[in-house]
Amino acid sequence: MTSKRIDTPHGPARAELHCAEEGTAGLLLGHGAGGGIEAPDLVAVTRSARDAGVHVALVEQPYRVAGRRAPAPAKQLDTAWLAVAEDLSATWFDGLPLVFGGRSSGARVACRTAAQGQAVAVLCLAFPEHPPGKPERTRQPELDGVEVPTLVVQGENDPFGRPEPGPHHEVVVVPGDHSLKAGLDGVSRAASEWLGRVLRPLVT
């Protein structure tokens, strides 16, 4: 594991690299709003992605690096994320296709920046479809706006709701709630199978 500080317009971010033996792609994973890169589902997907031949960078947003728990505004999160992606695509992941991903807030960032960051696919863990108890405040348009293959892994009892599948994205439901802790085997299996499927045409 290697750690790297990356300067962004909103302060330094940090990326933690987990290398596959023969990596054919790079997966960037972002954390949730109040959590960190040690979240169990992020750890599980990191392990399964490496086993599937994908390098993983766990990305810590500048506000977390600075020790704050309250998330930065969406535009700052997106700008910082794209700065990290640009840096990694020129260094650790030079010449490799990039997959954007993350859990909860990190999944939203991945969706919003996929086109500008030229991601070939997007992996969403516990996508927060709406705030708990407020289904009218849907974030479905962020997911629908992604035009590359997208996987959403969602807990069956997630109080943040369940996204609708669409032409470019599929939804896999696993046991548990927003943390996905109760369904980690299913999370790992879904991510590994999906990564193999979407990346195969790009690396053969």
Side-chain angles (χ1 to χ4, degrees), residues 91-169:
T91 54
W92 287 348
F93 302 149
D94 185 25
L96 296 178
L98 293 185
V99 178
F100 283 5
R103 69 162 277 105
S104 197
S105 169
R108 296 181 64 194
V109 172
C111 288
R112 294 194 300 258
T113 59
Q116 189 173 346
Q118 299 182 317
V120 299
V122 174
L123 172 58
C124 298
L125 305 172
F127 184 89
E129 175 71 3
H130 57 72
K134 298 180 179 178
E136 72 280 1
R137 291 177 56 187
T138 179
R139 284 82 171 250
Q140 184 74 32
E142 292 181 352
L143 197 53
D144 292 341
V146 182
E147 297 183 353
V148 293
T150 302
L151 174 68
V152 180
V153 184
Q154 205 78 358
E156 61 184 349
N157 300 315
D158 193 332
F160 288 82
R162 184 183 305 175
E164 294 293 327
H168 298 289
H169 59 270

Side-chain angles (χ1 to χ4, degrees), residues 124-126 150-156 162-163 165 169-175 180 186-187 189-191 193-194 197:
C124 298
L125 305 172
T150 302
L151 174 68
V152 180
V153 184
Q154 205 78 358
E156 61 184 349
R162 184 183 305 175
H169 59 270
E170 55 192 279
V171 179
V172 173
V173 178
V174 299
L180 297 177
V187 172
R189 186 165 52 251
E193 292 174 354
W194 176 80
R197 179 157 35 94

Side-chain angles (χ1 to χ4, degrees), residues 5-192:
R5 173 188 162 121
I6 299 171
D7 289 328
T8 83
H10 303 291
R14 189 175 71 91
E16 188 178 282
L17 177 66
H18 298 261
C19 281
E21 283 192 18
E22 295 183 14
T24 56
L27 169 62
L28 280 67
L29 289 174
H31 52 75
I37 58 175
E38 70 283 349
D41 54 347
L42 294 177
V43 173
V45 167
T46 296
R47 190 178 301 117
S48 61
R50 285 176 58 196
D51 291 345
V54 177
H55 300 311
V56 180
L58 293 166
V59 178
E60 198 170 29
Q61 283 274 359
Y63 76 92
R64 292 288 295 175
V65 174
R68 297 190 298 273
R69 286 192 64 84
K75 286 186 178 180
Q76 290 187 21
L77 295 175
D78 294 356
T79 300
W81 177 267
L82 286 167
V84 171
E86 182 178 11
D87 181 283
L88 295 182
S89 69
T91 54
W92 287 348
F93 302 149
D94 185 25
L96 296 178
L98 293 185
V99 178
F100 283 5
R103 69 162 277 105
S104 197
S105 169
R108 296 181 64 194
V109 172
C111 288
R112 294 194 300 258
T113 59
Q116 189 173 346
Q118 299 182 317
V120 299
V122 174
L123 172 58
C124 298
L125 305 172
F127 184 89
E129 175 71 3
H130 57 72
K134 298 180 179 178
E136 72 280 1
R137 291 177 56 187
T138 179
R139 284 82 171 250
Q140 184 74 32
E142 292 181 352
L143 197 53
D144 292 341
V146 182
E147 297 183 353
V148 293
T150 302
L151 174 68
V152 180
V153 184
Q154 205 78 358
E156 61 184 349
N157 300 315
D158 193 332
F160 288 82
R162 184 183 305 175
E164 294 293 327
H168 298 289
H169 59 270
E170 55 192 279
V171 179
V172 173
V173 178
V174 299
D177 55 18
H178 195 62
S179 73
L180 297 177
K181 289 178 184 177
L184 291 179
D185 287 346
V187 172
S188 295
R189 186 165 52 251
S192 179

